Amino acid sequence: MKYKMLVLDMDDTLLNDDHIISKENKEMITKAQELGVYVILASGRPTPAMLDYAKDLNMENSFMISYNGAVITDLKTNEIVFEQSLTQEQIHTLYDYSQKSKTHIITYLDGQVVSETNSEYIDVELNITGLKHNVVPDFKKAVYKSAIKCILLEEPSYLKKVEKDLKATMPHLSICMSKPFFLEVAQTGIDKAYSIKILAEKLNIQQSEIIAVGNAGNDLTMVEYAGLGVWVDNVEPELRDRANVVVASNNNHGVAEVIEKYILG
């Protein structure tokens, strides 16, 4: 068998626009798992917002990458096998930057989304994750310890300019877009590819034996790292030529197509 690991981004890749795994995708994932392929969910989502999907896919013998690569969870034992956070100081610096750049900022503490502000873009994250929103009067006071990641949020065309500036201002941090209005920030060197590499070494799987499927900027490192890098058809236009192949969109069972062609075929 050529491919032994299939890594799947969730939102806008595995999940359709209604945040559902289609019957077609689910059936093909089951077939891949029956062949002994490790199916790994790799998402910017917090861990709790991924668990029901993993359960639905019978992934109890697999692993899950959450927070854009900052956390790896062993689903068999429920143990965290890797975790890398931003320091409290780094988060406070990001907060200062968000004030200067006039963007919203959120982080995750004690299973909640923490921010000083409300916004339609924060509402999207709340809707995706199902986490409680803790609106605090003083962000820095509320963030009294390290946290996994932060997201800066604003209107897409403006946030694109912020992304460029933030990368120049804080080149040591891991910065990427997961949605046009989500600018994600994690600790130095942390991304999906980094965690896939850790997992592959743990499972004795070669880089050439990995397929990674995504649609957005936060998937780019894993799509370029994998032996076969795949975009679904709804990929952001500027990324389209950065993968080996493009398959059907998230609403047309692109993941099922990948499995049928490259794992079963």
Side-chain angles (χ1 to χ4, degrees), residues 12 160 212 214-220 223-224 228-250 252 254 257 261:
D12 306 313
K160 202 80 193 141
N215 79 293
N218 64 322
D219 303 316
L220 181 61
V223 164
E224 292 192 325
L228 182 70
V230 183
W231 292 132
V232 285
D233 194 44
N234 50 295
V235 60
E236 292 164 14
E238 68 270 21
L239 299 174
R240 200 171 181 88
D241 61 352
R242 304 279 292 271
N244 301 112
V245 293
V246 178
V247 294
S249 75
N250 68 314
N252 291 299
E257 185 185 329
K261 276 186 182 170

Side-chain angles (χ1 to χ4, degrees), residues 43-256:
S43 177
R45 287 176 177 235
T47 312
M50 298 173 67
L51 290 170
D52 285 348
Y53 292 99
K55 198 180 271 185
D56 191 35
L57 293 170
N58 299 312
M59 287 177 57
E60 54 278 352
N61 291 316
S62 193
F63 296 82
M64 203 168 69
I65 295 168
S66 52
Y67 293 105
N68 268 332
V71 178
I72 303 173
T73 305
D74 183 335
L75 293 169
K76 198 174 196 172
T77 61
N78 236 2
E79 289 173 341
I80 291 170
V81 294
F82 172 79
E83 182 175 294
Q84 186 70 269
S85 300
L86 289 166
T87 65
Q88 179 188 344
E89 186 186 7
Q90 286 171 322
I91 297 166
H92 287 190
T93 303
L94 281 163
Y95 172 79
D96 291 339
Y97 179 86
S98 77
Q99 297 305 287
K100 193 185 82 172
S101 64
K102 294 184 169 50
T103 52
H104 301 274
I105 184 170
I106 63 172
T107 193
Y108 305 82
L109 275 183
D110 307 320
Q112 298 181 332
V113 174
V114 178
S115 76
E116 256 182 21
T117 56
N118 284 291
S119 129
E120 62 185 296
Y121 304 117
I122 296 175
D123 289 345
V124 173
E125 178 66 358
L126 298 171
N127 184 41
I128 288 171
T129 63
L131 297 180
K132 191 181 167 207
H133 189 194
N134 184 11
V135 185
V136 295
D138 187 327
F139 186 86
K140 283 185 172 179
K141 213 174 205 175
V143 181
Y144 59 93
K145 59 180 178 178
S146 63
I148 303 289
K149 71 169 186 177
C150 289
I151 305 182
L152 273 58
L153 311 92
E154 204 28 86
E155 182 277 321
S157 60
Y158 177 69
L159 198 61
K160 202 80 193 141
K161 293 171 190 160
V162 174
E163 178 192 20
K164 199 176 173 185
D165 182 69
L166 183 59
K167 282 179 173 176
T169 308
M170 301 182 194
H172 54 291
L173 294 179
S174 184
I175 298 162
C176 62
M177 303 285 280
S178 60
K179 282 186 179 287
F181 39 80
F182 287 175
L183 182 56
E184 310 237 358
V185 187
Q187 189 53 270
T188 313
I190 293 299
D191 55 36
K192 292 183 181 184
Y194 186 83
S195 292
I196 291 167
K197 197 176 177 187
I198 291 171
L199 258 187
E201 283 169 7
K202 183 181 172 68
L203 299 170
N204 201 22
I205 291 172
Q206 304 303 309
Q207 191 174 348
S208 61
E209 297 171 323
I210 301 168
I211 301 176
V213 191
N215 79 293
N218 64 322
D219 303 316
L220 181 61
T221 60
M222 73 171 188
V223 164
E224 292 192 325
Y225 172 77
L228 182 70
V230 183
W231 292 132
V232 285
D233 194 44
N234 50 295
V235 60
E236 292 164 14
E238 68 270 21
L239 299 174
R240 200 171 181 88
D241 61 352
R242 304 279 292 271
N244 301 112
V245 293
V246 178
V247 294
S249 75
N250 68 314
N251 289 320
N252 291 299
H253 332 298
V255 167

Side-chain angles (χ1 to χ4, degrees), residues 11-22:
D11 294 288
D12 306 313
T13 299
L14 170 63
L15 308 182
N16 64 21
D17 289 352
D18 296 320
H19 305 302
I20 290 166
I21 303 171
S22 72

